[in-house]
């Protein structure tokens, strides 16, 4: 969450061709990862501290996720993403337990999860539908949740996009974790009035 004043300072730095915040002065990798460039700008140029957004649970579950729910729960994420989390010990206090790395399985996601990134519209709509239904009927069985997901989840690249993965095979044990996470996250969903 950024204040108007912080956004104005950030835009000023982005527009200054001599600033370390300017994409023109960043490495190719940072140019392709504007969130990382912005975090560096906050800490190194604007002297604005960034905060650890994981929850306070024993699992230190993440609230913001770079990938869709299936990749996040299965832990099948890119190695660069995991390595980048290890550098967070230098920014925040040292996390001797996880070194800020996202945890696979049901520990991945906080009950107060805010977002999943790299998610196309088809997967977003399917996930929103599942969360709405689970929120409205929390007594729903695990089998019913799995059935709703299988019925509405996209299966092709058009619906999933470049970064997402499809649902796992029907008998894989990872379904238990996926359903636990769906229940955790759905608990905080605000139902839509439209």
């Amino acid at each position: 969450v950024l204040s108007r004043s912080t956004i104005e300072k950030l835009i000023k730095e982005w527009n200054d061709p001599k600033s370390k915040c300017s994409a023109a002065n960043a490495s190719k990798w940072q140019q392709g990862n504007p969130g990382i460039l912005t975090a560096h700008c906050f800490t190194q140029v604007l002297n604005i501290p960034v905060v650890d957004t994981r929850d306070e649970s024993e699992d230190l579950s993440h609230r913001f996720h770079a990938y869709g729910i299936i990749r996040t729960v299965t832990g099948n994420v890119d190695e660069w993403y995991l390595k980048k989390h290890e550098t967070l010990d230098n920014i925040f206090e040292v996390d001797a337990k996880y070194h800020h790395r996202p945890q696979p399985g049901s520990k991945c996601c906080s009950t107060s999860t805010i977002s999943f990134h790299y998610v196309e519209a088809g997967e977003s709509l399917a996930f929103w539908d599942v969360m709405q239904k689970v929120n409205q009927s929390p007594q729903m069985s695990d089998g019913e949740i799995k059935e709703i997901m299988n019925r509405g989840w996209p299966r092709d690249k058009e619906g999933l996009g470049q970064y997402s993965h499809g649902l796992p095979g029907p008998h894989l044990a990872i379904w238990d974790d996926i359903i636990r996470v769906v229940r955790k996250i759905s608990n905080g969903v605000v139902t839509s009035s439209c």
Side-chain angles (χ1 to χ4, degrees):
V1 178
L2 304 175
S3 68
R4 177 183 292 255
S5 171
T6 299
I7 291 172
E8 288 170 352
K9 290 175 186 174
L10 187 60
I11 290 170
K12 182 181 174 204
E13 290 298 327
W14 282 340
N15 291 332
D16 179 355
K18 296 178 184 173
S19 173
K20 290 181 183 178
C21 298
S22 171
N25 296 325
S27 69
K28 285 276 189 211
W29 187 82
Q30 283 185 325
Q31 289 174 7
N33 293 279
I36 306 264
L37 178 59
T38 302
H40 284 286
C41 183
F42 284 146
T43 58
Q44 296 173 3
V45 177
L46 298 174
N47 296 315
I48 296 172
V50 291
V51 297
D52 188 345
T53 58
R54 296 176 299 168
D55 66 21
E56 296 78 30
S57 72
E58 180 181 321
D59 297 329
L60 299 169
S61 299
H62 287 249
R63 289 185 175 105
F64 294 92
H65 308 282
Y67 299 97
I69 187 171
I70 303 304
R71 285 189 77 177
T72 301
V73 174
T74 61
N76 189 359
V77 298
D78 296 340
E79 192 60 31
W80 72 263
Y81 181 66
L82 297 175
K83 286 182 179 177
K84 189 64 194 166
H85 279 82
E86 291 173 358
T87 67
L88 294 177
D89 276 349
N90 300 327
I91 297 171
F92 306 121
E93 62 183 58
V94 172
D95 170 8
K97 189 172 186 179
Y98 299 122
H99 299 286
H100 299 275
R101 286 173 71 119
Q103 299 306 299
S106 62
K107 294 179 180 182
C108 70
C109 306
S110 171
T111 55
S112 56
T113 285
I114 295 168
S115 70
F116 291 92
H117 193 52
Y118 292 132
V119 178
E120 294 295 327
E123 185 179 8
S124 292
L125 292 170
F127 188 39
W128 178 249
D129 183 55
V130 170
M131 290 192 310
Q132 290 280 315
K133 288 177 178 166
V134 172
N135 181 270
Q136 292 167 359
S137 301
Q139 74 286 356
M140 187 181 296
S141 73
D142 290 356
E144 289 171 309
I145 294 171
K146 188 174 176 180
E147 182 180 322
I148 290 168
M149 290 182 77
N150 274 304
R151 201 172 41 234
W153 213 264
R155 299 193 183 315
D156 58 11
K157 277 293 178 196
E158 186 178 325
L160 289 171
Q162 178 95 4
Y163 295 99
S164 292
H165 290 179
L167 295 174
H171 304 294
L172 294 178
I174 195 65
W175 270 106
D176 293 338
D177 285 328
I178 292 169
I179 291 168
R180 268 196 291 279
V181 170
V182 165
R183 286 189 187 282
K184 271 171 59 171
I185 294 172
S186 297
N187 192 34
V189 169
V190 176
T191 55
S192 174
S193 59
C194 358

